[in-house]
Amino acid sequence: MNFQVTVLKILVSYPDGFAVMEDLKRDMAILATSGRDWADRTRRLAARVPDLDIFSQGLVDRESGGWKITAKGRAVLEFMESRLAAPEPIQAPSVEEVVPAAVPPLRQPADRAMRRRERRERRREARERARANAS
């Protein structure tokens, strides 16, 4: 399984292209254990862009608590998934050639970060209670 292609595919499946790390890890685990079809598919897609590096090429941004696919990332993924007349890999254009006009980033709902903080706090409190009960 190609990790970088899988990350792009997972992020693009979320409506705003943003996924918290817990969701990314869960989705990655599901896909990693789904069989050879997924591994073969991601290898084929990765072959379309041999020098793929999602972070240094600006295809994915790290944001508070998760990762978000950029407009560049969407364009490169679309290129990788486009059908070819010839089945063999071609020389892929550079990431800069594939990128469409700049798209403004989507705003996250203000309460999303608050809900994440509340979940983290509840988990922390539960761990502390479990430690206190174990003592």
Side-chain angles (χ1 to χ4, degrees), residues 3-125:
F3 170 79
Q4 296 192 55
V5 172
T6 301
V7 168
L8 290 175
K9 291 292 287 176
I10 290 171
L11 292 176
V12 82
S13 72
Y14 283 80
D16 59 355
F18 175 84
V20 294
M21 291 307 296
E22 290 175 2
D23 293 341
L24 273 169
K25 289 176 184 179
R26 182 198 63 233
D27 294 349
M28 186 81 63
I30 291 168
L31 292 170
T33 59
S34 66
R36 290 190 49 87
D37 289 342
W38 181 255
D40 293 343
R41 181 176 181 203
T42 57
R43 274 190 219 105
R44 280 194 308 273
L45 291 173
R48 300 282 317 271
V49 183
D51 297 328
L52 183 67
D53 187 333
I54 59 175
F55 294 110
S56 70
Q57 292 172 338
L59 309 181
V60 172
D61 287 334
R62 292 178 180 106
E63 293 189 1
S64 63
W67 293 349
K68 183 173 184 172
I69 190 168
T70 64
K72 258 188 197 181
R74 289 179 189 274
V76 169
L77 184 60
E78 188 175 307
F79 168 77
M80 285 191 289
E81 292 179 324
S82 65
R83 301 257 184 231
L84 288 179
E88 56 208 47
I90 60 168
Q91 178 61 35
S94 70
V95 171
E96 287 74 27
E97 295 171 9
V98 176
V99 178
V103 177
L106 295 174
R107 297 187 62 160
Q108 280 191 31
D111 62 328
R112 185 175 188 171
M114 183 177 67
R115 288 192 312 262
R116 276 197 314 264
R117 274 193 302 273
E118 289 170 352
R119 280 193 307 265
R120 273 189 248 125
E121 182 65 22
R122 284 193 304 266
R123 284 192 302 262
R124 186 183 61 76
E125 289 171 355

